[in-house]
């Protein structure tokens, strides 16, 4: 039987005495895109950050590629993180660096032995994947919101990750650009054979990109299914997400 590449069991996390995650379970299988829906402040972003230990969970178990994330040392943790791309909400580009330098940064941090031509090839391939090779010398201030998202995705792809975590990939974008980013997420899934968790409020994005959707409420996942299954749920609270 196939094992998940991410397993989360009974995950709990509180911020300043407010319990956000109260016992979350999740399996992500290879080649799968899971969408996570929920109202603002329900802990969706906290979930993905706990998975790669950008924040520390209070309790629970997290396994990525069969490794116990909670008990890894810093070196072991960084070895796992090389296989996981993370697209932050705003793209999280370094304002003082050009697009080229933003993409070069993770390579230099993880592949110090890479020569100049290898680095250039990786940068160009990632930018071609998101259709922005011509922006290679631009600064973040010169980029539109949609371009920043694409460059952020290119940076997430630069080390050819097996898993990508998307935190609100279409937030703040116009409907046309949101659709383009959603189609790009599908393209990345196919080209890189990547598995993804997609945190989103954008129902069009969820419909286009996901194989399965989980709904987070009151610290727990309260529903799971395909877009069509959940949109026809008999539970009005679940169905309301899809109106």
């Amino acid at each position: 039987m196939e094992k998940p590449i991410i397993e989360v069991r009974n995950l709990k996390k509180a911020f300043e005495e407010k319990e956000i995650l109260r016992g979350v379970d999740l399996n992500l299988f290879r080649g799968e895109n899971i969408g996570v829906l929920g109202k603002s402040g329900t802990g969706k972003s906290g979930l993905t950050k706990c998975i790669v230990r950008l924040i520390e969970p209070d309790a629970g178990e997290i396994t990525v590629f069969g490794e116990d994330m909670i008990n890894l040392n810093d070196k072991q943790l960084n070895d796992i993180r090389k296989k996981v791309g993370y697209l932050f909400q705003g793209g999280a580009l370094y304002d003082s660096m050009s697009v080229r330098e933003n993409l070069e940064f993770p390579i230099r941090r993880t592949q110090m032995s890479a020569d100049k031509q290898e680095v250039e090839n990786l940068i160009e391939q990632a930018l071609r994947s998101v259709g922005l090779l011509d922006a290679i010398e631009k600064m973040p201030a010169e980029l539109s919101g949609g371009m920043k998202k694409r460059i952020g995705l290119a940076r997430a792809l630069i080390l050819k990750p097996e898993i990508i975590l998307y935190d609100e990939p279409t937030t703040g974008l116009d409907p046309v650009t949101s659709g383009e980013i959603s189609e790009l997420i599908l393209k990345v899934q196919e080209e890189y054979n990547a598995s993804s968790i997609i945190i989103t409020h954008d129902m069009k994005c969820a419909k286009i990109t996901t194989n399965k959707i989980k709904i987070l409420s009151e610290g727990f996942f309260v529903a799971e299914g395909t877009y069509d299954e959940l949109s026809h749920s008999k539970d009005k609270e679940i169905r309301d997400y899809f109106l």
Side-chain angles (χ1 to χ4, degrees):
M1 185 176 176
E2 183 188 6
K3 284 186 66 68
I5 54 175
I6 292 179
E7 292 182 83
V8 177
R9 294 288 173 270
N10 199 30
L11 181 64
K12 297 180 180 180
K13 181 64 183 176
F15 294 100
E16 297 180 356
E17 300 183 1
K18 183 179 181 183
E19 206 172 15
I20 302 297
L21 302 174
R22 299 167 59 198
V24 167
D25 296 332
L26 179 145
N27 287 336
L28 178 70
F29 290 91
R30 194 169 295 279
E32 182 178 46
N33 279 359
I34 291 180
V36 176
L37 307 181
K39 296 175 183 177
S40 296
T42 53
K44 302 185 300 299
S45 297
L47 166 64
T48 53
K49 288 175 180 174
C50 281
I51 287 172
V52 287
R53 278 183 54 199
L54 291 176
I55 59 175
E56 295 293 333
D58 297 330
E61 301 174 11
I62 302 168
T63 304
V64 179
F65 301 118
E67 298 289 341
D68 177 2
M69 294 293 283
I70 305 298
N71 294 310
L72 297 183
N73 62 36
D74 287 346
K75 182 186 181 304
Q76 293 168 326
L77 183 58
N78 285 329
D79 285 343
I80 294 292
R81 285 173 174 167
K82 291 175 190 176
K83 302 177 186 178
V84 182
Y86 199 112
L87 180 64
F88 294 89
Q89 279 193 37
L93 302 178
Y94 296 107
D95 291 338
S96 60
M97 294 183 182
S98 68
V99 167
R100 182 196 298 276
E101 291 167 333
N102 264 283
L103 269 63
E104 185 176 3
F105 184 77
I107 303 172
R108 291 301 184 195
R109 282 198 64 189
T110 58
Q111 301 179 24
M112 297 303 292
S113 61
D115 64 34
K116 187 175 181 180
Q117 190 57 54
E118 284 180 283
V119 172
E120 193 68 19
N121 290 344
L122 285 169
I123 291 171
E124 289 187 7
Q125 182 180 354
L127 287 174
R128 281 198 187 94
S129 294
V130 300
L132 280 179
L133 183 57
D134 58 350
I136 191 167
E137 302 300 345
K138 290 184 181 294
M139 299 298 289
E142 301 176 83
L143 306 175
S144 67
M147 291 171 76
K148 286 179 182 177
K149 293 276 190 179
R150 286 173 180 267
I151 298 301
L153 179 53
R155 190 175 61 185
L157 295 174
I158 199 81
L159 299 179
K160 299 183 175 10
E162 296 177 48
I163 297 170
I164 305 175
L165 306 178
Y166 295 92
D167 191 356
E168 301 286 1
T170 61
T171 292
L173 303 179
D174 63 82
V176 172
T177 306
S178 294
E180 291 172 351
I181 294 293
S182 299
E183 294 293 345
L184 190 54
I185 290 170
L186 275 187
K187 177 187 169 190
V188 165
Q189 182 188 25
E190 293 167 2
E191 284 192 6
Y192 288 78
N193 193 30
S195 311
S196 302
I197 298 174
I198 303 162
I199 307 297
T200 186
H201 284 97
D202 180 346
M203 298 312 299
K204 182 180 178 184
C205 175
K207 185 174 185 178
I208 291 171
T209 62
T210 62
N211 306 111
K212 181 169 64 182
I213 292 171
K214 295 172 76 75
I215 295 179
L216 189 60
S217 178
E218 304 295 332
F220 301 98
F221 282 124
V222 296
E224 177 182 310
T226 65
Y227 183 97
D228 286 340
E229 287 168 348
L230 294 181
S231 65
H232 292 95
S233 171
K234 294 179 180 178
D235 185 327
K236 183 179 183 302
E237 184 181 351
I238 301 303
R239 207 169 55 247
D240 282 350
Y241 282 95
F242 298 83
L243 295 178

